[in-house]
């Protein structure tokens, strides 16, 4: 999974294989096993139940939903303990593995370089 993805997309990738609920902008709700997630939030469900705005339900084998039609997702509570959140918390503290030069951002990198070189003094 690329590191430049936002937290919601990373969470969806972690939810793959779990039963989640998705509400569309049209008001329709889908609940089923999340089988595939794309980085633009396109999702695919298996063994899905669709509930329309009027409350009618429909059983479906597979459903593909375009990401820009999605209003929100409801994911299982067990994903609170996902490793992704632990990595994110470590990055915020500046203790992440592979955090580069020890800080966050370009300013921290430049400061580290200046300290190492002694500001041009020989």
């Amino acid at each position: 999974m690329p590191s430049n993805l936002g937290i919601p997309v990373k969470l969806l990738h972690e939810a793959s294989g779990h039963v989640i609920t998705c509400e569309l902008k049209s008001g329709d709700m889908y609940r089923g096993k999340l089988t595939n997630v794309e980085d633009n939030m396109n999702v695919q469900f298996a063994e899905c139940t669709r509930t329309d705005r009027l409350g009618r339900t429909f059983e479906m084998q597979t459903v593909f939903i375009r990401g820009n039609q999605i209003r929100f997702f409801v994911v299982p509570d067990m994903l609170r303990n996902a490793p992704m959140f632990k990595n994110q918390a470590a990055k915020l503290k500046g203790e992440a593995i592979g955090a580069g030069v020890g800080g966050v951002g370009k300013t921290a990198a430049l400061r580290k370089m200046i300290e190492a070189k002694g500001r041009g003094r020989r």
Side-chain angles (χ1 to χ4, degrees):
M1 179 179 350
S3 62
N4 60 351
L5 295 177
I7 292 174
V9 177
K10 288 181 181 179
L11 179 64
L12 273 181
H13 281 286
E14 292 281 337
S16 195
H18 295 280
V19 176
I20 69 167
T21 303
C22 170
E23 182 175 323
L24 304 185
K25 293 177 182 177
S26 65
D28 293 354
M29 296 196 59
Y30 291 84
R31 180 172 175 79
K33 183 177 179 182
L34 185 63
T35 56
N36 190 16
V37 179
E38 295 178 9
D39 294 346
N40 56 4
M41 287 191 160
N42 292 347
V43 293
Q44 185 173 1
F45 290 104
E47 303 163 13
C48 183
T49 303
R50 172 186 169 222
T51 306
D52 65 8
R53 288 192 288 180
L54 302 176
R56 297 178 295 203
T57 60
F58 307 91
E59 297 292 323
M60 301 178 170
Q61 286 293 321
T62 59
V63 176
F64 184 84
I65 301 173
R66 188 173 168 160
N68 71 345
Q69 297 300 312
I70 296 169
R71 181 173 290 149
F72 67 86
F73 290 100
V74 179
V75 297
D77 285 340
M78 66 180 285
L79 291 175
R80 246 182 236 162
N81 302 322
M84 177 224 16
F85 287 121
K86 292 176 185 169
N87 295 341
Q88 192 69 24
K91 282 182 184 179
L92 291 175
K93 291 180 183 178
E95 302 169 355
I97 298 172
V101 292
V104 178
K106 189 173 182 179
T107 305
L110 290 173
R111 284 185 183 149
K112 197 77 161 176
M113 286 174 40
I114 290 170
E115 289 174 10
K117 291 182 180 179
R119 257 192 185 192
R121 297 182 195 133
R122 294 185 184 216

